[in-house]
């Protein structure tokens, strides 16, 4: 496996290194594990579509685009409330 250099602010590097050390990992190992666990936008979209299809098959749930936007807005509002605390 080849290595790559990534330029990030020193503060971000130090924070990631501290998180990695707290988990008993090197920064390299922590970033590799992080990359394995995060989804790409395409993977998130595919997973969301599968979830929508499963819900529709299971109980007929099929929100309109407008309903999805309203639900997304409500989720954003609630997340903002929680993170503001």
């Amino acid at each position: 496996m080849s290595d790559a250099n990534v330029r990030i602010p020193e503060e971000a590097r130090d924070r990631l290194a501290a998180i990695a050390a707290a988990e008993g990992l090197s920064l390299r190992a922590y970033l590799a594990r992080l990359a394995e666990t995060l989804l790409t936008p395409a993977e998130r979209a595919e997973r969301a579509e599968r979830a929508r299809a499963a819900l529709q098959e299971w109980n007929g749930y099929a929100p309109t685009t407008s309903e999805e936007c309203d639900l997304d807005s409500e989720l954003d509002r609630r997340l903002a409330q929680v993170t503001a605390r």
Side-chain angles (χ1 to χ4, degrees):
M1 173 182 355
S2 63
D3 287 338
N5 291 322
V6 178
R7 298 178 63 78
I8 62 172
E10 187 175 340
E11 298 81 20
R13 183 209 56 212
D14 293 345
R15 179 175 172 78
L16 289 169
I19 293 167
E23 295 189 24
L25 297 169
S26 68
L27 179 56
R28 182 178 189 270
Y30 179 77
L31 291 174
R33 187 180 76 182
L34 184 63
E36 291 172 4
T37 61
L38 296 176
L39 299 175
T40 66
E43 290 167 334
R44 283 194 307 273
E46 179 185 336
R47 191 173 282 190
E49 184 53 41
R50 286 195 323 252
R52 274 192 285 277
L55 284 170
Q56 186 170 6
E57 182 180 326
W58 176 58
N59 67 2
Y61 181 72
T64 65
T65 302
S66 176
E67 290 170 329
E68 284 184 13
C69 287
D70 291 345
L71 292 168
D72 286 344
S73 295
E74 178 63 15
L75 179 59
D76 290 342
R77 184 187 68 75
R78 290 181 185 203
L79 288 171
Q81 283 180 329
V82 171
T83 56
R85 294 181 192 176

